[in-house]
Amino acid sequence: MERESSTPASSWLGIDEAAPFAGKKATKDAAAADAFVRRWPKVVNATLVAFIMTMPPLLILLGGGRPGAPAVWIKSTVASLAARGEPKKDVLLGGLLLPGFDEQSCVSRYQSVYYRKNMTRPPSPHLLRRLRQQEALQRRCGPGTEPYRRASERLRSGQNAGDDFVATVDGCGYLVLISYRGLGNRILAITSAFLYAMLTGRVLLLDPGKTMADLFCEPFQATSWMLPGDFPLEHFRDLGEDAPESYGNVAVNRSGSVAGLRFVYAHLDHAATPANRLLYCDDHRQFLHRVQWVILRTDSYIAPGIFLNPAYKEELDMMFPNKDAVFYLLSRYLLHPTNDVWGMVTRFYHSYLKNADERLGVQIRVFDGDEPFQHILDQILECTSQEHLLPGVVVSGHGGGVAPPPIARSKAVLTTGLNSWYHDSIRDMGPPAEPRAAPALLPEHPRHEGPRRDIVTSGWSTFGYVGAGLGGLTPYIMIKPENHTVPNPPCVRAMSMEPCDHGPPYFECTKKEIDKIIDTGNLVPHVRSCEDVPWGRKLADPIS
Ligand SMILES: *[C@@H]1O[C@H](CO)[C@@H](O)[C@H](O)[C@H]1NC(C)=O
Ligand SMILES: *[C@@H]1O[C@H](CO)[C@@H](O)[C@H](O)[C@H]1NC(C)=O
Ligand SMILES: *[C@@H]1O[C@H](CO)[C@@H](O)[C@H](O)[C@H]1NC(C)=O
C-alpha cells in the first residue's frame, strides 16, 4: 500500500515554480543532469549518467496545477517533435484511442507514444468493439443526460428501488468507484473497475477525490467520467462492509433480495471479508442486474479475481488474447496525464533520460519505516548486480571471435522512494563526478532499437506495479525482507508486467463455499500466485 506525501515537487525537482516549460529552462536542467555524470567503478568502457530522484514520482503528479505553464510548453514540444524528424508513429495505438479529441486540451493523449517503448501488445478487435460500445454507453447515460438525471433521482428518493431496471428503465446502470489510499492504489482500482464496468454494461463514474481531475484527462469524448459535484458522495464514502447494502450482506443474509435497496455496496478492499469477496463470483445475472447503482470501494487491482469468474471467461478471452496485457492496454486507453503533469514528465525526460543508452528505474518501498536500512540498500545492490543492471556493463557476451569495439554506454538511473539515503548511497559509490565535458565524450550510435529499459521494484508496492505496467516492462521484484536480512534471492524476474491483486477470492466460483479456502492460483492457467505476495493473484500468459 502506498501513501501520499504533500512535499511540494519543487523542493526536490529544483523547479522554479514560476518558470514555464520553455527551452531555456530545459537547458538549465540538462546542465543539472550533467553534474551527475559518473564513471562507475570497475566498469570499463561504461559511463554512468546517474540521475537520481529522491522522492516518489507520485510527487511529480501531485505537483501539477501551476498556472500558465502548459501553453508555452506545448508549443515548444510540438515544434521539437516535428523538428527532430521522428518517424511518424501510430498515435492511436492500433485503434485503442480515437481521433477527434481536442489535442491541446490533453497533449499527452497523442504525444506519449513518442516517449514510450513501442506497443508490444496490440489491442484485439473485440476489445476495440467493446471500448466503442462502452464509450457510447458513457455518453448516452453519463452526467448531464436525462437518463442520468432520472437515475440520480431514483438513487436519492429510493423510488422503484430493487426493480428490474435494466429491462424497464433507460438501460443505464452505474458503477461508482470510491478509490482511496495512494496514487498507485487508485490507478489500479480505476483500471480494473473500468474492466468490470465494461463486462457488466455499466457506466463507470469516479469519485474525483482531491486530485484525480488534476492528474488525468477525460478518457471519453463528449461526456465525463467524474461524478458531478451534486452527487451525494458523502453518504457512500463511509459505508462499511457490514452495511445492509453490502454485497456480502445481500448475498448471505438476504439471499440476493435487493427489494428496497437503492444501491448495492461492493466492498473489495484488499482485506474484505469472504462474504464481500463473493462479488468476484457474481455473474451479474444473480441479482446485481436488478440494481441500478453499484458503489464499489477498492484499493486493489481486481482484474485477476474477475478472470477467475467462469461467467466472463469467453468474453475476456476474446478481449484479451494476451493475458499479460490487461493493465497495459486499459491503462493506455484510460490514463492520459493532464497538460500540467505531462509538462513535468516530458521536461524531466528531456533533461535526464532522453540521451541515455540504458535506463534503469528503481522503485524503493520500505514497509518497516522511513529511516535508512542497510539491508534494503544491500538488497538493491545485490539484485542489480545479480541481474547485471547496475552499472549496466556491456563488456561481456557477443559470443566467440573478435571482441566488439568498446562502446561507451550511458545509463540513467532513476530511483524513487521516500528516503533519499538510498539514492545518495548508490550515487556516492562512484568516484567524483566527471568534469562537465563528459557528455560530449559519449559517442553517437544507432538508436533504432531504442534504449534498453529495466525496472526493479520493491515487492508489495502498488506504485511499483503501476510503474512496470505503464512502462510495459516486466519488473525484477525485490522480495520483502524478513528480520532485516536480505532475502535469497534478493529479487526475481516477474512472470508478467501485470499488477498483483492483494485481495483475491479464495473460493471456487462454481461452489461459492466461502469458508473453504482453496488455492485459486491453480484454477486457470493465466491466474497465478504473485511472486511477492503468496496469497495475491496476478495475470500472466500461460507458459507454453
Ligand atoms: C517503433 O515503431 C516505429 C514505427 O511506428 C518504427 O519506425 C520503429 O523502428 C519501431 N522501433 C522498434 C524498436 O521496434
Ligand atoms: C448477516 O447478519 C448478521 C446479523 O445481523 C451480521 O452479524 C452479519 O455480519 C451479516 N453478514 C454479512 C455477510 O453481512
Ligand atoms: C525471524 O526471527 C524470528 C526470531 O528471531 C524467528 O523466529 C523467525 O523464524 C525469523 N524469520 C525468518 C523468516 O527468518
Side-chain angles (χ1 to χ4, degrees), residues 121-127 307 314-326 329 526 540-542:
R121 303 283 192 280
S124 70
H126 190 69
L127 176 60
F307 272 78
E314 200 178 323
E315 183 66 24
L316 287 169
D317 279 347
M318 287 195 292
M319 286 165 88
F320 299 102
N322 292 115
K323 301 296 184 291
D324 66 346
V326 176
L329 289 167
H526 50 271
D541 268 330

Side-chain angles (χ1 to χ4, degrees), residues 43-122:
V43 179
V44 191
N45 299 329
T47 305
L48 182 86
V49 179
F51 161 67
I52 303 191
M53 189 170 88
T54 62
M55 299 298 277
L58 164 60
L59 295 178
I60 302 180
L61 306 180
L62 297 181
R66 283 164 307 111
V72 177
W73 170 80
I74 289 162
K75 288 201 187 75
S76 65
T77 302
V78 169
S80 75
L81 281 174
R84 283 211 311 264
E86 295 264 354
K88 247 189 131 37
K89 293 212 175 187
D90 172 21
V91 297
L92 300 180
L93 309 179
L96 199 59
L97 305 183
L98 284 180
F101 280 91
D102 171 14
E103 287 191 31
Q104 299 297 300
S105 71
C106 183
V107 177
S108 67
R109 192 186 322 266
Y110 300 135
Q111 230 182 47
S112 56
V113 66
Y114 287 98
Y115 292 83
R116 287 178 148 155
K117 207 174 92 166
N118 284 2
M119 290 263 285
T120 51
R121 303 283 192 280

